[in-house]
């Protein structure tokens, strides 16, 4: 029998979880079973955090900076990725600070979401790992022992290490460089294959995580989650309808409307597959055949962008980490928000263009601010629908990067426009 597509399986699992939660209520055996299934799935995700993020970052950064022949494209591309990613994160941060979805009626929404852990317990684990002050955060970027930091779930140092490692891989002499790149790319692809196996369990995982919440709290869990969705969707909408069109209009000097028309089918593909990597052929086709971008630019910017330039993902990671921290009652002072922004920016580079890849990065960010990685379970029920939306934004962001690079390199014919007078050559 052919099973329905994964997102439908997850929707069905959600509906079954709601029904079973109400039906069985707080029956001990049922809750034990669900806890086991949910934990099994979450453990699978957590298992991948260190090797997946590290290999993805090293392979990804190695690819961006490996631009000796393409140096002039490389710099603009990198600038675009970092700049728009940062703005996207700040937009997400702003929305979550404004709407405070993790705080309902002035209190952390943890209990409404079925969080059993006492805030006091969480605070004691946060101590020493949370953001004491800014200098402390900077010190934690350079842990004295990388493995001890990773094992303790203190991921900040690991992320910076991955970044530096990737950069210096790209500076190695060509023989060594090739060996290193192939090694990390291989490791990354193995991790992705394992991730795919684990994601097949997502419907079961969602059931196991959501049913006990419904059993313990009824519908009250939906209020914070609904607000969280509003915050994320609002921020994604601002990014796609304000920030990126402004870049198209004032940096690339092309019509944002024409660009939207060109990219519609690619965004729909991204929406239905939740995978920027799977949408790549459509994105390339639309930009080359309908947007007039030459193949030498799409061929360079898009394959890297699909894995590295993930504005929607960066925004989501930041919003989700903030929401989970609010739900746990963690005080979100400036240093903590700084860590979240920094970690979202760095890890979004390493998030693969496949469904639900952000979950692993969110677990890593939670570890960086000292929260239990289980916190990821709070957003799982709505992750898939938000994944569809953020992936469409990722693909739109990649397409904008391609147009900007083409225009700044003096290419004519993009959306029928003549070449820009200035060039970054
Ligand atoms: N699904 C996203 C993409 O393919 C990645 C993520 O945010 O999970 O771009």
């Amino acid at each position: 029998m052919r099973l329905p597509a994964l997102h439908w399986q997850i929707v069905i699992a959600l509906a079954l979880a709601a029904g079973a939660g109400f039906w069985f209520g707080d029956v001990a055996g049922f809750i034990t079973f669900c806890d086991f299934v949910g934990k099994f799935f979450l453990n699978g995700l957590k298992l991948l955090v260190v090797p997946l993020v590290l290999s993805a970052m090293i392979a990804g950064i190695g690819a961006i900076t490996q631009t000796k022949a393409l140096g002039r494209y490389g710099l603009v591309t990198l600038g675009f990725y970092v700049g728009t990613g940062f703005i996207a994160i700040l937009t997400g941060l702003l929305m979550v600070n404004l709407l405070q979805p993790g705080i309902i009626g002035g209190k952390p929404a943890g209990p409404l979401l079925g969080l059993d852990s006492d805030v006091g317990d969480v605070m004691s684990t946060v101590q020493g790992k949370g953001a004491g002050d800014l200098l402390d955060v900077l010190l934690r970027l350079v842990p004295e022992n990388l493995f001890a930091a990773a094992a303790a779930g203190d991921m900040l140092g690991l992320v910076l290490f991955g970044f530096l490692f990737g950069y210096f891989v790209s500076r190695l002499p060509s023989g060594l460089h090739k060996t290193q790149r192939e090694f990390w790319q291989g490791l990354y692809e193995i991790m992705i294959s394992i991730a795919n196996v684990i994601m097949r369990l997502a419907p079961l995982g969602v059931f196991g995580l959501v049913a006990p919440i419904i059993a313990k709290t009824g519908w009250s869990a939906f209020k914070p989650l609904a607000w969280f969705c509003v915050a994320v969707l609002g921020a994604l909408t601002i990014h796609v309808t304000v920030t990126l069109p402004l870049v198209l209009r004032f940096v690339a000097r092309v019509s944002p409307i024409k660009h939207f028309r060109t990219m519609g089918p690619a965004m729909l593909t991204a929406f239905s597959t939740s995978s920027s990597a799977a949408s790549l052929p459509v994105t390339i086709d639309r930009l080359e055949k309908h947007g007039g971008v030459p193949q030498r630019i799409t061929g360079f910017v898009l394959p890297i962008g699909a894995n590295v330039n993930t504005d929607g993902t960066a925004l989501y990671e930041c919003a989700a980490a903030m929401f989970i921290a609010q739900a746990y009652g963690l005080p979100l002072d400036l240093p903590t928000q700084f860590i979240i922004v920094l970690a979202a920016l760095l890890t979004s580079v390493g998030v693969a263009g496949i469904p639900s890849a952000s979950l692993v990065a969110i677990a890593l960010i939670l570890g960086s601010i000292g929260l239990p990685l289980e916190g990821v379970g709070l957003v799982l029920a709505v992750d898939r629908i938000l994944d569809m939306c953020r992936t469409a934004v990722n693909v739109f962001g990649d397409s904008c990067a391609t147009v900007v690079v083409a225009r700044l390199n003096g290419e004519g014919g993009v959306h029928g426009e003549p070449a820009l007078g200035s060039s970054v050559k």
Side-chain angles (χ1 to χ4, degrees):
M1 186 186 77
R2 246 178 78 94
L3 289 173
L6 189 63
H7 55 274
W8 286 117
Q9 292 180 33
I10 294 178
V11 171
I12 295 168
L14 267 176
L16 289 178
F22 274 121
W23 182 263
F24 288 107
D26 224 347
V27 175
F30 174 65
I31 301 285
T32 314
F33 167 75
C34 290
D35 283 347
F36 166 75
V37 175
K39 199 161 171 38
F40 193 83
F41 174 65
L42 276 182
N43 277 2
L45 281 180
K46 282 160 48 178
L47 180 74
L48 292 176
V49 169
V50 173
L52 178 61
V53 174
L54 205 59
S55 58
M57 286 189 78
I58 296 174
I61 311 270
I64 315 184
T65 43
Q66 184 201 13
T67 51
K68 281 184 198 109
L70 295 155
R72 62 204 166 100
Y73 298 154
L75 214 62
V76 178
T77 312
L78 193 63
F80 183 95
Y81 290 171
V82 174
T84 54
F86 188 60
I87 298 174
I89 290 174
L90 292 186
T91 314
L93 189 73
L94 186 81
M95 286 300 278
V96 178
N97 273 321
L98 277 179
L99 295 182
Q100 309 249 4
I103 298 185
I104 300 289
K107 291 204 201 86
L112 295 182
L113 291 160
L115 267 190
D116 303 317
S117 19
D118 185 353
V119 173
D121 291 350
V122 172
M123 293 322 251
S124 63
T125 68
V126 167
Q127 276 176 13
K129 253 199 241 162
D133 57 46
L134 219 48
L135 289 181
D136 215 45
V137 174
L138 294 179
L139 263 186
R140 284 179 39 223
L141 278 169
V142 196
E144 51 186 279
N145 182 330
L146 186 71
F147 298 97
D154 188 357
M155 306 291 184
L156 214 51
L158 194 78
V159 172
L160 184 72
F161 181 81
F163 216 85
L164 287 176
F165 199 111
Y167 176 74
F168 285 107
V169 162
S170 73
R171 317 288 303 200
L172 286 172
S174 63
L176 285 176
H177 172 249
K178 186 163 175 281
T179 318
Q180 278 290 327
R181 276 262 300 144
E182 282 176 356
F183 170 76
W184 290 100
Q185 186 63 32
L187 184 62
Y188 166 72
E189 279 168 25
I190 294 169
M191 291 305 133
I192 293 290
S193 307
I194 300 181
N196 281 335
V197 174
I198 293 169
M199 280 316 293
R200 283 185 191 276
L201 299 179
L204 268 181
V206 166
F207 181 90
L209 290 160
V210 174
I213 299 180
I214 305 284
K216 286 182 209 153
T217 68
W219 291 111
S220 51
F222 282 89
K223 194 164 173 195
L225 283 178
W227 275 115
F228 171 61
C229 291
V230 170
V232 171
L233 295 177
L236 287 175
T237 308
I238 294 175
H239 193 67
V240 129
T241 58
V242 181
T243 310
L244 291 174
L246 283 176
V247 175
L248 286 173
R249 159 73 50 224
F250 293 105
V251 181
R253 311 224 175 174
V254 294
S255 151
I257 308 270
K258 270 193 194 159
H259 191 68
F260 267 115
R261 281 210 195 107
T262 305
M263 295 316 296
M267 289 173 79
L268 280 177
T269 312
F271 183 80
S272 44
T273 58
S274 292
S275 166
S276 339
S279 317
L280 196 56
V282 186
T283 315
I284 294 179
D285 177 73
R286 296 303 298 177
L287 278 168
E288 284 179 11
K289 297 224 179 82
H290 303 264
V293 181
Q295 198 258 332
R296 65 180 168 285
I297 298 205
T298 53
F300 168 66
V301 181
L302 285 175
I304 300 175
N307 283 304
V308 171
N309 181 43
T310 48
D311 291 354
T313 292
L315 182 159
Y316 177 70
E317 281 180 28
C318 172
M322 288 283 295
F323 167 66
I324 295 165
Q326 285 173 351
Y328 272 104
L330 186 76
L332 285 164
D333 48 14
L334 207 64
T336 309
Q337 298 206 21
F338 174 74
I339 296 188
I340 294 178
V341 169
L342 186 72
L345 191 64
L346 294 178
T347 53
S348 68
V349 170
V351 168
I354 56 164
S356 300
S358 308
L359 292 177
V360 176
I362 294 169
L364 187 142
I365 300 177
L366 295 181
S368 313
I369 52 175
L371 287 178
L373 307 196
E374 277 73 15
V376 163
L378 297 190
V379 293
L380 214 56
V382 288
D383 181 71
R384 187 62 186 207
I385 178 74
L386 296 179
D387 194 5
M388 298 165 90
C389 303
R390 68 183 182 257
T391 308
V393 175
N394 288 343
V395 164
F396 189 68
D398 293 341
S399 72
C400 294
T402 317
V403 166
V404 167
V405 172
R407 298 287 285 157
L408 293 186
N409 279 283
E411 297 291 344
V414 178
H415 291 312
E417 300 286 340
L420 277 180
S422 63
S423 146
V424 294
K425 275 181 219 184

